[in-house]
Amino acid sequence: MTAGGACPSHETRRQGPNALVRRLARHADLSDAETGLLNRLSTATRLIGPRSDLVREGDDPGGAHVILSGAACRYKLRPMGTRHIVSYLLPGDICDADGATVQRADFSAATLVPSTVAFIPRPLLRELTAMHDGIARGLRAAKLAEEAILRMWLANLGCRSALERTAHLFCELLERLRAVGLAGEAGYDLPMTQIDLSITLGMSTVHMNRTLHELRRQAAADLRGRTLHILDRARLASIAEFDPSYLRPVLAS
Amino acid sequence: MTAGGACPSHETRRQGPNALVRRLARHADLSDAETGLLNRLSTATRLIGPRSDLVREGDDPGGAHVILSGAACRYKLRPMGTRHIVSYLLPGDICDADGATVQRADFSAATLVPSTVAFIPRPLLRELTAMHDGIARGLRAAKLAEEAILRMWLANLGCRSALERTAHLFCELLERLRAVGLAGEAGYDLPMTQIDLSITLGMSTVHMNRTLHELRRQAAADLRGRTLHILDRARLASIAEFDPSYLRPVLAS
DNA sequence: CGAAAAGTTGAACTGAATCAATGCCGGTGG
DNA sequence: CCACCGGCATTGATTCAGTTCAACTTTTCG
């Protein structure tokens, strides 16, 4: 797998219903026509290697990227080269849903692991939202959920300890991955390294590692290799003070 | 001024062009009809006392609140009673621009100082965005800017020191207040206490105080009472690694 | 004027960073 | 098939930025 490489039109294997459809249908009813449309979009995909940029800060995103498998993140680069991850993009998530309006990204985005990504160019994105109410509503809801996550992350960094922050992130990922069928009760595959986690949670890698050990010691969660085993979901949630309601915006009418 | 009190329909004094109009016109051209409409909205305002909630987490916001003078904040409440401020709402800012769609707020919002606030109920908000393209575009742009700020704050908390964070916030406030005519080169009135600042920047009040002293010692900024004196804007920006471009989203077409 | 909230200061303490070394594992090339 | 390499994970020792506690002053405001 050549880093940064991309090969065109990759067949969509496993996980029956497409992640994007699943995601948008969560908040808005999609017509059959809309579902079909989204499924067709998802065939024009690229398999992108790990750690390759999708969008670079300051550039024109030109449209939206849809993560269909794998995982990516939005991040901010500081002048001195240090980075900070400001959100995770999981299957079904859309990077630059505002690609229709925004011409300069205020963040970069990159894959974390090899990922299948569909690109929706600006004109098509506009057409989709203008012509299909279900899709427009779904996109809006997805954006609201994302914003709520952003606020939650901010509160997390602002007033929780390393252990609490980590537990909170693991709870959130459990919910989000379950929503697209990528996690069971027992746990899930973490698509990021401890280094990624540490730059997300604002701590050193050394302390990240120690915090993971502490979670294991408290029999809450156990990260072995790529797999996160949820040992005691209630305990994890209680450490994190986790309340999942922010992940599911309630829409009017 | 009774805390939590509110008296109806307060006359709009000073600062010529209404803050809301000024804010929305920043990214989108407003027709005369639209400007007039917004100005009329801004007459049905309430003067709200300091530290009164506008919206409570979990409640239905029912519409949007527009800050016309004063200042407010969005905040998150933790079970144990500690709070974290996730954004500031300055004159011209809109709280719950998504009031048209969202039925459950994932945050609370409260005034920081006595403020003039207009409320736009959901049906009216819908009508405004549906009928007036300029207003819809302005609102969208305002929301994008807000999101960019949220991401910046997250990166701030995640990877900057107390001094850097504080300098960054002061730079941001300078830009934002200048955009609505509430700050000059020399400085501005800070509408929040050191306690508020500390809750925002994720540090103890004691350390907040010491950080302010350090900024003064470095001849960058000097907070005296409510007034922030910018002593050396370049130095402040360099401490903060401040680049204001995130505050001005570039819109397509 | 008096009470409450905000700001200030010093001293002791601690969660997390930093430094540094070492182990592990998967991939690549010889 | 094995040796080597680079990224990731782990561990111990030390240091430091920021917290906590506690007392005190100043300002605000009813």
Side-chain angles (χ1 to χ4, degrees), chain A residues 138-212:
Chain A
L139 285 173
R140 224 178 302 134
K143 245 181 78 64
L144 287 172
E146 241 181 46
E147 249 182 89
I149 291 173
L150 217 45
R151 276 189 286 266
M152 187 54 94
W153 282 28
L154 192 57
N156 250 343
L157 270 186
C159 61
R160 287 206 242 260
S161 69
L163 189 73
E164 293 166 336
R165 292 204 291 273
T166 307
H168 199 282
L169 179 59
F170 285 168
C171 287
E172 181 186 302
L173 288 176
L174 177 60
E175 292 297 314
R176 289 174 62 187
L177 288 172
R178 265 175 17 128
V180 286
L182 292 172
E185 288 297 321
Y188 48 88
D189 268 12
L190 256 198
M192 64 284 292
T193 66
Q194 288 187 21
I195 296 176
D196 295 323
L197 289 173
S198 75
I199 63 184
T200 306
L201 295 171
M203 60 178 108
S204 66
T205 51
V206 173
H207 198 56
M208 184 73 245
N209 186 271
R210 286 179 179 140
T211 302
L212 290 172

Coordinates of all heavy atoms in Angstrom, one line a residue, chain A residues 138-212:
Chain A
G138 N -31.0 15.6 5.9 CA -30.0 14.7 6.5 C -28.7 15.4 6.7 O -28.1 15.3 7.8
L139 N -28.3 16.2 5.7 CA -27.0 16.9 5.8 C -27.0 17.9 7.0 O -26.0 18.0 7.7 CB -26.7 17.6 4.5 CG -26.2 16.7 3.4 CD1 -26.1 17.5 2.1 CD2 -24.8 16.0 3.7
R140 N -28.1 18.6 7.1 CA -28.2 19.6 8.1 C -28.1 18.9 9.5 O -27.4 19.4 10.4 CB -29.6 20.3 8.0 CG -29.4 21.8 8.1 CD -30.7 22.6 7.9 NE -31.3 22.3 6.6 CZ -32.6 22.0 6.4 NH1 -33.4 21.9 7.4 NH2 -33.1 21.8 5.2
A141 N -28.8 17.8 9.6 CA -28.8 17.1 10.9 C -27.4 16.6 11.2 O -26.9 16.7 12.4 CB -29.8 16.0 10.9
A142 N -26.7 16.1 10.2 CA -25.4 15.6 10.4 C -24.5 16.7 10.9 O -23.6 16.6 11.8 CB -24.9 15.0 9.1
K143 N -24.7 17.9 10.3 CA -23.8 19.0 10.7 C -24.1 19.5 12.1 O -23.2 19.8 12.9 CB -24.1 20.2 9.7 CG -22.9 20.6 8.9 CD -23.2 21.8 8.0 CE -23.2 23.1 8.8 NZ -21.9 23.4 9.3
L144 N -25.4 19.4 12.5 CA -25.7 19.8 13.9 C -25.1 18.9 14.9 O -24.6 19.3 15.9 CB -27.3 19.8 14.0 CG -28.0 21.0 13.3 CD1 -29.5 20.8 13.4 CD2 -27.6 22.3 14.0
A145 N -25.1 17.6 14.5 CA -24.5 16.6 15.4 C -23.0 16.9 15.6 O -22.5 16.8 16.7 CB -24.8 15.2 14.9
E146 N -22.4 17.2 14.5 CA -21.0 17.5 14.5 C -20.6 18.7 15.3 O -19.7 18.6 16.1 CB -20.6 17.8 13.0 CG -19.6 16.8 12.5 CD -19.2 17.2 11.1 OE1 -18.9 18.4 10.9 OE2 -19.1 16.3 10.3
E147 N -21.5 19.7 15.2 CA -21.3 20.9 16.1 C -21.4 20.5 17.5 O -20.6 21.0 18.4 CB -22.3 21.9 15.7 CG -21.8 23.1 15.0 CD -23.0 24.0 14.8 OE1 -23.3 24.8 15.7 OE2 -23.6 23.9 13.7
A148 N -22.4 19.7 17.8 CA -22.6 19.4 19.2 C -21.4 18.6 19.8 O -20.9 18.8 20.9 CB -23.9 18.5 19.4
I149 N -20.8 17.7 18.9 CA -19.6 17.0 19.3 C -18.5 17.9 19.6 O -17.7 17.8 20.5 CB -19.3 16.0 18.2 CG1 -20.3 14.9 18.1 CG2 -17.9 15.4 18.4 CD1 -20.1 13.9 16.9
L150 N -18.4 18.9 18.7 CA -17.3 19.9 18.8 C -17.4 20.6 20.2 O -16.4 20.8 20.9 CB -17.4 20.9 17.7 CG -16.2 21.5 17.1 CD1 -15.2 20.4 16.8 CD2 -16.6 22.2 15.8
R151 N -18.6 21.0 20.6 CA -18.8 21.7 21.9 C -18.5 20.7 23.0 O -17.9 21.1 24.0 CB -20.2 22.2 22.0 CG -20.4 23.5 21.3 CD -21.8 24.1 21.7 NE -22.9 23.4 20.9 CZ -23.4 23.8 19.8 NH1 -22.9 24.9 19.2 NH2 -24.3 23.1 19.1
M152 N -18.9 19.5 22.8 CA -18.6 18.5 23.9 C -17.1 18.3 24.1 O -16.6 18.2 25.2 CB -19.3 17.2 23.5 CG -19.2 16.1 24.6 SD -19.8 16.7 26.2 CE -21.5 16.2 26.2
W153 N -16.4 18.2 23.0 CA -15.0 18.0 23.0 C -14.3 19.2 23.7 O -13.4 19.0 24.5 CB -14.4 17.8 21.6 CG -14.6 16.5 21.0 CD1 -15.6 15.6 21.3 CD2 -13.7 15.8 20.1 NE1 -15.4 14.5 20.6 CE2 -14.2 14.6 19.8 CE3 -12.5 16.2 19.4 CZ2 -13.6 13.7 18.9 CZ3 -11.9 15.3 18.5 CH2 -12.5 14.1 18.3
L154 N -14.8 20.4 23.4 CA -14.3 21.6 24.0 C -14.4 21.5 25.6 O -13.5 21.8 26.3 CB -15.0 22.8 23.5 CG -14.3 24.2 23.7 CD1 -12.9 24.2 23.2 CD2 -15.1 25.3 23.1
A155 N -15.6 21.2 26.0 CA -15.9 21.1 27.4 C -15.0 20.0 28.0 O -14.5 20.1 29.1 CB -17.4 20.8 27.6
N156 N -14.8 18.9 27.3 CA -14.0 17.8 27.7 C -12.6 18.3 28.0 O -12.1 18.1 29.1 CB -13.9 16.8 26.6 CG -14.6 15.6 26.9 OD1 -14.9 15.3 28.1 ND2 -14.9 14.8 25.9
L157 N -12.0 18.9 27.0 CA -10.6 19.4 27.2 C -10.6 20.5 28.3 O -9.6 20.5 29.1 CB -10.1 20.1 25.9 CG -9.4 19.2 24.9 CD1 -8.9 20.0 23.8 CD2 -8.3 18.4 25.6
G158 N -11.6 21.3 28.4 CA -11.6 22.4 29.3 C -11.7 22.0 30.8 O -11.1 22.6 31.6
C159 N -12.5 20.9 31.1 CA -12.7 20.7 32.5 C -12.7 19.2 32.9 O -13.2 18.9 34.0 CB -13.9 21.4 33.0 SG -15.4 20.9 32.2
R160 N -12.1 18.3 32.1 CA -12.0 17.0 32.6 C -10.5 16.5 32.7 O -9.7 17.0 31.9 CB -12.8 16.0 31.7 CG -14.3 16.2 31.9 CD -15.0 14.9 31.5 NE -15.9 15.1 30.4 CZ -17.3 15.3 30.5 NH1 -17.8 15.3 31.7 NH2 -18.0 15.5 29.5
S161 N -10.3 15.5 33.5 CA -8.9 15.0 33.7 C -8.6 14.1 32.5 O -9.5 13.7 31.7 CB -8.8 14.2 34.9 OG -9.6 13.0 34.8
A162 N -7.4 13.7 32.4 CA -7.0 12.8 31.3 C -7.8 11.5 31.2 O -8.2 11.1 30.2 CB -5.5 12.5 31.4
L163 N -8.0 10.9 32.4 CA -8.7 9.7 32.4 C -10.2 9.9 32.0 O -10.7 9.1 31.2 CB -8.7 9.1 33.9 CG -9.3 7.7 34.0 CD1 -8.3 6.7 33.5 CD2 -9.6 7.4 35.5
E164 N -10.8 10.9 32.5 CA -12.2 11.2 32.1 C -12.3 11.5 30.6 O -13.2 11.0 30.0 CB -12.7 12.4 32.9 CG -12.8 12.2 34.4 CD -13.0 13.4 35.2 OE1 -12.6 14.5 34.7 OE2 -13.5 13.4 36.3
R165 N -11.4 12.3 30.1 CA -11.4 12.6 28.7 C -11.3 11.4 27.8 O -12.1 11.2 26.8 CB -10.2 13.5 28.3 CG -10.3 14.9 28.9 CD -9.4 15.9 28.0 NE -8.0 15.7 28.1 CZ -7.2 16.2 29.0 NH1 -7.7 16.9 30.0 NH2 -5.9 16.0 28.9
T166 N -10.4 10.5 28.2 CA -10.2 9.3 27.4 C -11.5 8.4 27.5 O -11.9 7.9 26.4 CB -9.0 8.5 28.0 OG1 -7.9 9.4 28.0 CG2 -8.7 7.3 27.1
A167 N -12.0 8.2 28.7 CA -13.2 7.4 28.8 C -14.3 8.0 28.0 O -15.1 7.3 27.3 CB -13.6 7.4 30.3
H168 N -14.4 9.4 28.0 CA -15.5 10.0 27.2 C -15.4 9.8 25.7 O -16.3 9.4 25.0 CB -15.5 11.5 27.5 CG -16.8 12.2 27.2 ND1 -17.1 12.5 25.9 CD2 -17.9 12.5 27.9 CE1 -18.3 13.0 25.9 NE2 -18.8 13.1 27.1
L169 N -14.1 9.9 25.2 CA -13.9 9.7 23.8 C -14.3 8.2 23.4 O -14.9 8.0 22.4 CB -12.5 9.9 23.4 CG -12.1 9.7 22.0 CD1 -12.9 10.6 21.1 CD2 -10.6 10.0 21.7
F170 N -13.9 7.3 24.3 CA -14.2 5.9 24.0 C -15.7 5.6 24.0 O -16.2 4.9 23.2 CB -13.5 5.0 25.0 CG -12.0 4.8 24.8 CD1 -11.2 4.2 25.7 CD2 -11.5 5.3 23.6 CE1 -9.8 4.1 25.5 CE2 -10.1 5.2 23.3 CZ -9.3 4.6 24.3
C171 N -16.4 6.3 24.9 CA -17.9 6.2 24.9 C -18.5 6.7 23.6 O -19.4 6.1 23.0 CB -18.5 6.9 26.1 SG -18.2 6.1 27.7
E172 N -18.0 7.9 23.3 CA -18.5 8.5 22.1 C -18.3 7.7 20.8 O -19.2 7.5 20.0 CB -17.9 9.9 21.9 CG -18.4 10.6 20.6 CD -17.7 11.9 20.3 OE1 -17.7 12.8 21.2 OE2 -17.1 12.0 19.2
L173 N -17.1 7.2 20.7 CA -16.8 6.3 19.5 C -17.6 5.1 19.5 O -18.1 4.6 18.5 CB -15.3 6.0 19.6 CG -14.3 7.1 19.2 CD1 -12.9 6.7 19.3 CD2 -14.6 7.7 17.8
L174 N -17.9 4.5 20.7 CA -18.7 3.3 20.8 C -20.1 3.7 20.2 O -20.6 2.9 19.3 CB -18.9 2.9 22.2 CG -19.9 1.7 22.4 CD1 -19.4 0.5 21.7 CD2 -20.0 1.4 23.9
E175 N -20.7 4.8 20.6 CA -22.0 5.2 20.0 C -22.0 5.4 18.6 O -22.8 5.0 17.8 CB -22.5 6.4 20.7 CG -22.8 6.3 22.2 CD -24.0 5.3 22.4 OE1 -25.0 5.4 21.7 OE2 -23.9 4.4 23.3
R176 N -21.0 6.2 18.1 CA -20.9 6.6 16.7 C -20.6 5.4 15.8 O -21.2 5.2 14.7 CB -19.8 7.6 16.5 CG -20.3 9.0 17.1 CD -19.1 10.0 17.0 NE -18.7 10.3 15.7 CZ -17.7 11.1 15.3 NH1 -17.0 11.6 16.3 NH2 -17.4 11.3 14.1
L177 N -19.8 4.5 16.3 CA -19.5 3.3 15.4 C -20.6 2.3 15.4 O -20.9 1.7 14.4 CB -18.2 2.6 15.9 CG -16.9 3.4 15.7 CD1 -15.7 2.8 16.4 CD2 -16.7 3.5 14.1
R178 N -21.4 2.2 16.6 CA -22.5 1.3 16.6 C -23.6 1.8 15.6 O -24.3 1.0 15.0 CB -23.1 1.3 18.0 CG -22.5 0.1 18.8 CD -22.9 0.0 20.2 NE -24.0 0.8 20.6 CZ -25.1 0.3 21.3 NH1 -25.2 -1.0 21.5 NH2 -26.0 1.1 21.7
A179 N -23.7 3.1 15.5 CA -24.7 3.7 14.6 C -24.5 3.3 13.2 O -25.4 3.4 12.4 CB -24.7 5.2 14.8
V180 N -23.3 3.0 12.8 CA -23.0 2.5 11.4 C -22.6 1.1 11.4 O -22.0 0.6 10.4 CB -22.0 3.4 10.7 CG1 -22.6 4.8 10.4 CG2 -20.7 3.6 11.6
G181 N -23.0 0.4 12.5 CA -22.7 -1.1 12.5 C -21.3 -1.5 12.6 O -21.0 -2.6 12.2
L182 N -20.4 -0.7 13.1 CA -19.0 -1.1 13.2 C -18.6 -1.4 14.6 O -17.4 -1.5 14.9 CB -18.2 0.1 12.6 CG -18.3 0.2 11.1 CD1 -17.6 1.5 10.6 CD2 -17.8 -1.0 10.4
A183 N -19.5 -1.4 15.6 CA -19.1 -1.8 16.9 C -20.2 -2.6 17.5 O -21.4 -2.4 17.3 CB -18.9 -0.5 17.8
G184 N -19.8 -3.6 18.3 CA -20.8 -4.4 19.1 C -20.7 -4.0 20.5 O -20.1 -3.1 20.9
E185 N -21.4 -4.8 21.4 CA -21.4 -4.5 22.8 C -19.9 -4.7 23.4 O -19.5 -4.0 24.3 CB -22.3 -5.5 23.5 CG -23.8 -5.3 23.3 CD -24.2 -3.9 23.9 OE1 -23.7 -3.5 25.0 OE2 -25.0 -3.2 23.2
A186 N -19.2 -5.7 22.8 CA -17.9 -6.0 23.4 C -16.8 -5.0 23.1 O -15.9 -4.9 23.8 CB -17.5 -7.4 22.8
G187 N -17.0 -4.3 22.0 CA -15.9 -3.3 21.7 C -15.9 -3.0 20.2 O -16.8 -3.3 19.5
Y188 N -14.8 -2.5 19.8 CA -14.6 -2.1 18.4 C -13.2 -1.9 18.0 O -12.3 -1.9 18.9 CB -15.4 -0.9 18.0 CG -15.2 0.3 19.0 CD1 -14.2 1.2 18.8 CD2 -16.0 0.5 20.1 CE1 -14.0 2.2 19.7 CE2 -15.8 1.5 21.0 CZ -14.8 2.4 20.8 OH -14.6 3.4 21.7
D189 N -13.0 -1.8 16.7 CA -11.6 -1.6 16.2 C -11.3 -0.1 16.2 O -12.1 0.7 15.6 CB -11.5 -2.1 14.7 CG -11.0 -3.5 14.7 OD1 -11.0 -4.1 15.7 OD2 -10.6 -3.9 13.6
L190 N -10.3 0.3 17.0 CA -9.9 1.7 17.0 C -9.1 2.0 15.8 O -8.1 1.5 15.6 CB -9.1 2.0 18.2 CG -9.7 2.7 19.5 CD1 -8.5 3.2 20.3 CD2 -10.6 3.8 19.1
P191 N -9.6 3.0 15.0 CA -8.8 3.2 13.7 C -7.7 4.2 13.9 O -7.2 4.7 12.9 CB -9.9 3.8 12.8 CG -10.9 4.4 13.7 CD -10.8 3.7 15.0
M192 N -7.3 4.5 15.2 CA -6.2 5.4 15.3 C -5.2 4.9 16.3 O -5.4 4.0 17.1 CB -6.7 6.8 15.7 CG -7.4 6.9 17.1 SD -9.1 6.2 17.1 CE -10.0 7.3 16.1
T193 N -4.0 5.4 16.3 CA -2.9 5.0 17.2 C -3.0 5.8 18.5 O -3.7 6.7 18.6 CB -1.5 5.3 16.6 OG1 -1.4 6.8 16.5 CG2 -1.4 4.8 15.2
Q194 N -2.2 5.4 19.5 CA -2.1 6.1 20.7 C -1.6 7.5 20.5 O -2.0 8.4 21.2 CB -1.2 5.3 21.7 CG -1.8 4.1 22.2 CD -1.0 3.4 23.3 OE1 -0.2 4.1 24.0 NE2 -1.2 2.1 23.5
I195 N -0.8 7.7 19.6 CA -0.3 9.0 19.2 C -1.4 9.9 18.8 O -1.6 11.0 19.2 CB 0.8 8.9 18.2 CG1 2.0 8.1 18.7 CG2 1.2 10.3 17.7 CD1 3.1 7.9 17.7
D196 N -2.3 9.3 17.9 CA -3.4 10.1 17.4 C -4.3 10.5 18.6 O -4.8 11.6 18.7 CB -4.2 9.3 16.4 CG -3.5 9.0 15.1 OD1 -2.7 9.9 14.7 OD2 -3.6 7.9 14.6
L197 N -4.6 9.5 19.5 CA -5.5 9.7 20.6 C -4.9 10.9 21.5 O -5.6 11.8 21.9 CB -5.6 8.5 21.5 CG -6.4 7.3 20.9 CD1 -6.3 6.1 21.8 CD2 -7.9 7.8 20.7
S198 N -3.6 10.8 21.7 CA -2.9 11.8 22.5 C -3.1 13.2 22.0 O -3.3 14.2 22.7 CB -1.5 11.4 22.8 OG -0.7 11.7 21.7
I199 N -2.9 13.3 20.6 CA -3.0 14.7 20.1 C -4.5 15.1 20.0 O -4.8 16.3 19.9 CB -2.3 14.9 18.8 CG1 -2.8 14.1 17.7 CG2 -0.8 14.7 18.9 CD1 -2.0 14.2 16.4
T200 N -5.4 14.2 20.1 CA -6.8 14.6 20.1 C -7.2 15.1 21.5 O -7.9 16.0 21.7 CB -7.7 13.3 19.8 OG1 -7.3 12.8 18.6 CG2 -9.1 13.7 19.8
L201 N -6.6 14.4 22.5 CA -7.1 14.6 23.9 C -6.1 15.6 24.6 O -6.3 15.8 25.8 CB -7.1 13.3 24.7 CG -8.2 12.3 24.1 CD1 -8.1 11.0 24.8 CD2 -9.6 12.9 24.3
G202 N -5.2 16.2 23.9 CA -4.3 17.2 24.4 C -3.4 16.7 25.6 O -3.3 17.3 26.6
M203 N -2.8 15.6 25.3 CA -1.8 15.1 26.3 C -0.7 14.4 25.6 O -0.7 14.2 24.4 CB -2.5 14.1 27.3 CG -3.1 12.9 26.7 SD -3.8 11.8 28.0 CE -5.5 12.0 27.7
S204 N 0.4 14.2 26.4 CA 1.6 13.5 25.8 C 1.3 12.1 25.5 O 0.4 11.5 26.1 CB 2.8 13.7 26.7 OG 2.5 12.9 27.9
T205 N 2.1 11.5 24.6 CA 1.8 10.1 24.3 C 2.1 9.2 25.5 O 1.5 8.2 25.7 CB 2.8 9.6 23.1 OG1 4.1 10.0 23.4 CG2 2.4 10.2 21.8
V206 N 3.1 9.6 26.3 CA 3.5 8.9 27.5 C 2.3 8.8 28.4 O 1.9 7.8 28.9 CB 4.7 9.5 28.2 CG1 5.0 8.9 29.5 CG2 5.9 9.5 27.3
H207 N 1.7 10.0 28.6 CA 0.6 10.0 29.5 C -0.6 9.3 29.0 O -1.4 8.7 29.7 CB 0.2 11.4 29.9 CG -0.6 11.5 31.1 ND1 -0.2 11.0 32.3 CD2 -1.8 12.0 31.4 CE1 -1.1 11.2 33.3 NE2 -2.1 11.8 32.7
M208 N -0.8 9.4 27.7 CA -1.9 8.6 27.0 C -1.7 7.1 27.3 O -2.7 6.5 27.8 CB -1.8 8.8 25.5 CG -2.9 8.2 24.7 SD -4.4 9.1 24.9 CE -5.5 8.0 25.7
N209 N -0.5 6.7 27.1 CA -0.3 5.2 27.4 C -0.6 4.9 28.9 O -1.3 3.9 29.1 CB 1.2 4.9 27.1 CG 1.5 3.5 27.2 OD1 1.8 3.0 28.3 ND2 1.3 2.7 26.1
R210 N -0.2 5.7 29.8 CA -0.5 5.4 31.2 C -1.9 5.5 31.5 O -2.4 4.8 32.3 CB 0.3 6.4 32.1 CG 1.8 6.1 32.1 CD 2.7 7.0 32.9 NE 4.0 6.5 32.8 CZ 5.1 7.2 32.7 NH1 5.0 8.5 32.6 NH2 6.3 6.7 32.6
T211 N -2.6 6.4 30.9 CA -4.1 6.5 31.1 C -4.8 5.3 30.6 O -5.7 4.8 31.2 CB -4.6 7.8 30.3 OG1 -3.9 8.9 30.8 CG2 -6.1 8.0 30.6
L212 N -4.3 4.7 29.5 CA -4.9 3.5 29.0 C -4.7 2.4 30.0 O -5.6 1.6 30.2 CB -4.3 3.1 27.6 CG -4.7 4.1 26.5 CD1 -3.9 3.8 25.2 CD2 -6.2 4.0 26.2

